[in-house]
């Protein structure tokens, strides 16, 4: 099924595909076509085009197996700061660098809460969950206070109180931010505002996973069309052809669901982002396992596209909650 995009989405899709053919730092290359400015809030100089545009960008990045997590985390953090109650004028220089793709913003504690604590003197201690690699210009941090309560804080990383460690997270490049008495500015983030920012992040993540699943299924289809067994291509075996056809058909349905959810979100409705991310994460996991199985021993090689896609999907499919946790959340909210 050919999902028709509107003219803006088509132009944006083509622009992202063109950028992905270039060399150089991906974040800087994306900045040349206005990413993340296109989706950034207006108060930060963005165009606020909404999720209907944003999911196209993430779908194409996923298909290229170029997650660019710094871009999604940046928009997530800016969404958290997009409030009239938050003072942002002192962030102008950092935001300008974010639009250029030379620095990024990150939310800390939005994925795995409990790693950072705040003292009565508004100083942060602890470490973040794995974050995308890049030059971090600002952090929106959820921290636990001495009484066990939690709140959100703005931190501008400074040498001496913040340090970044480069790590590998299940075979993918990542970084970890450590706070050693970092100065923290309390943020008046309401529960409703935080939930809406998280919902938008989950729909972006769902788009990324659908793109990744599409790519890994295309890799699998190309393989079974050329790989012979017992004198005939694997694709001629019904069990193989039917599995791939089923996954392709499911992908079309989930993509329609995602576009509908993005449209509803942009219309200030409340789609179940948790359910959308849960089902796309499960689909991507099945697609990556299927591709790995169909490649056999070849799929286990470190340089194999099937193995590379499997590792990426394993990480990205649980970044904003495991499917079982997402389904539990969606059911409780129904």
């Amino acid at each position: 099924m050919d999902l028709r995009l509107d003219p803006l989405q088509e132009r944006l899709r083509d622009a992202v595909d063109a950028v992905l053919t270039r060399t150089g730092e991906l974040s800087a290359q994306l900045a040349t076509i206005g990413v993340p400015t296109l989706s950034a809030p207006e108060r930060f100089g963005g165009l606020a085009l909404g999720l209907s545009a944003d999911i196209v960008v993430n779908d194409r990045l996923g298909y290229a197996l170029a997650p660019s997590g710094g871009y999604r985390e940046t928009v997530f953090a800016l969404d958290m700061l997009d409030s009239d109650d938050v003072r942002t004028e002192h962030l102008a220089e950092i935001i300008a660098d974010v639009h250029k793709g030379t620095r990024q913003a990150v939310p800390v504690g939005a994925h795995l809460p409990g790693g950072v604590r705040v003292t009565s003197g508004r100083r942060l201690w602890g470490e973040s969950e794995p974050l995308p690699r890049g030059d971090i210009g600002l952090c929106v941090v959820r921290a636990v206070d001495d009484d066990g309560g939690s709140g959100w804080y703005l931190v501008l990383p400074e040498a001496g109180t913040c340090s970044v460690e480069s790590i590998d997270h299940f075979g993918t490049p990542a970084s970890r931010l450590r706070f050693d008495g970092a100065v923290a500015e309390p943020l008046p983030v309401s529960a409703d505002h935080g939930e809406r920012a998280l919902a938008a992040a989950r729909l972006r993540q769902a788009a990324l996973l659908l793109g990744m699943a599409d790519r890994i299924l295309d890799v699998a289809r190309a393989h079974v069309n050329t790989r012979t067994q017992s004198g005939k291509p694997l694709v001629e075996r019904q069990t193989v052809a039917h599995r791939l056809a089923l996954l392709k058909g499911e992908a079309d349905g989930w993509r329609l669901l995602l576009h509908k959810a993005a449209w509803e979100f942009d219309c200030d409705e409340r789609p179940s982002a948790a359910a959308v991310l849960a089902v796309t994460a499960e689909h991507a996991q099945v697609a990556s396992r299927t591709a790995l199985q169909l490649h056999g021993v070849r799929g286990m090689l470190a340089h194999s596209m099937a193995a590379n896609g499997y590792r990426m999907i394993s990480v990205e499919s649980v970044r904003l909650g495991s499917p079982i946790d997402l389904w539990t959340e969606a059911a409780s909210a129904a």
Side-chain angles (χ1 to χ4, degrees):
M1 180 181 64
D2 181 23
L3 176 63
R4 290 187 175 274
L5 303 177
D6 66 33
L8 174 62
Q9 290 175 318
E10 289 181 349
R11 294 287 295 273
L12 189 53
R13 178 197 60 195
D14 294 342
V16 174
D17 287 347
V19 160
L20 290 167
T21 66
R22 303 174 187 171
T23 58
E25 184 65 32
L26 179 57
S27 59
Q29 295 299 327
L30 286 171
T32 65
I33 61 170
V35 176
T37 309
L38 294 174
S39 53
E42 291 182 7
R43 70 184 293 112
F44 297 118
L47 297 180
L49 293 184
L51 285 178
S52 292
D54 228 0
I55 60 174
V56 173
V57 177
N58 284 287
D59 185 286
R60 299 315 298 166
L61 291 175
Y63 189 82
L65 298 183
S68 188
Y71 149 57
R72 287 189 311 286
E73 300 287 38
T74 289
V75 179
F76 187 0
L78 294 184
D79 281 348
M80 292 291 290
L81 293 171
D82 186 23
S83 170
D84 292 336
D85 297 326
V86 177
R87 185 177 65 90
T88 58
E89 59 273 8
H90 60 304
L91 304 177
E93 183 177 345
I94 297 172
I95 297 301
D97 289 340
V98 165
H99 289 321
K100 295 175 186 176
T102 58
R103 303 174 84 179
Q104 66 185 29
V106 294
V108 174
H111 310 300
L112 298 171
V116 181
R117 62 183 180 85
V118 60
T119 66
S120 57
R122 295 180 181 175
R123 297 277 181 166
L124 294 189
W125 303 85
E127 63 180 31
S128 72
E129 63 271 35
L131 301 169
R133 284 192 186 173
D135 185 357
I136 299 175
L138 67 87
C139 313
V140 179
V141 185
R142 180 163 60 179
V144 178
D145 59 32
D146 295 334
D147 296 326
S150 65
W152 290 95
Y153 298 84
L154 173 64
V155 177
L156 305 181
E158 297 179 346
T161 61
C162 295
S163 60
V164 179
E165 174 191 7
S166 294
I167 62 173
D168 283 336
H169 184 50
F170 295 106
T172 62
S175 61
R176 192 184 305 279
L177 189 59
R178 299 184 185 279
F179 301 103
D180 296 303
V183 177
E185 177 184 340
L187 293 175
V189 177
S190 67
D192 183 71
H193 185 92
E195 288 172 3
R196 186 163 177 80
L198 178 59
R202 284 173 167 171
L203 294 179
R204 295 186 193 101
Q205 192 73 13
L208 178 84
L209 288 167
L210 281 180
M212 285 183 164
D214 280 355
R215 176 61 178 277
I216 206 65
L217 287 176
D218 283 349
V219 169
R221 288 199 301 176
H223 175 73
V224 298
N225 272 289
T226 58
R227 177 66 172 170
T228 60
Q229 192 175 84
S230 301
K232 62 180 181 180
L234 280 175
V235 73
E236 293 185 14
R237 298 181 179 275
Q238 286 190 353
T239 54
V240 172
H242 287 177
R243 286 171 68 189
L244 291 177
L246 178 62
L247 286 168
K248 179 61 178 174
E250 289 177 347
D252 289 339
W254 302 142
R255 184 163 279 103
L256 283 173
L257 177 67
L258 173 62
H259 278 264
K260 178 176 181 290
W263 174 257
E264 290 173 346
F265 186 93
D266 289 342
C267 293
D268 291 328
E269 297 179 25
R270 290 183 176 272
S272 179
V276 174
L277 180 54
V279 76
T280 52
E282 289 177 340
H283 168 74
Q285 289 174 354
V286 173
S288 64
R289 289 197 298 266
T290 300
L292 201 63
Q293 181 183 19
L294 290 175
H295 277 75
V297 174
R298 296 184 181 187
M300 299 180 187
L301 300 176
H303 63 274
S304 164
M305 186 73 76
N308 192 34
Y310 178 82
R311 284 193 299 270
M312 287 188 178
I313 288 173
S314 295
V315 172
E316 297 298 340
S317 62
V318 297
R319 186 176 293 280
L320 289 173
S322 68
I324 189 169
D325 289 337
L326 292 167
W327 282 124
T328 300
E329 180 182 330
S332 65

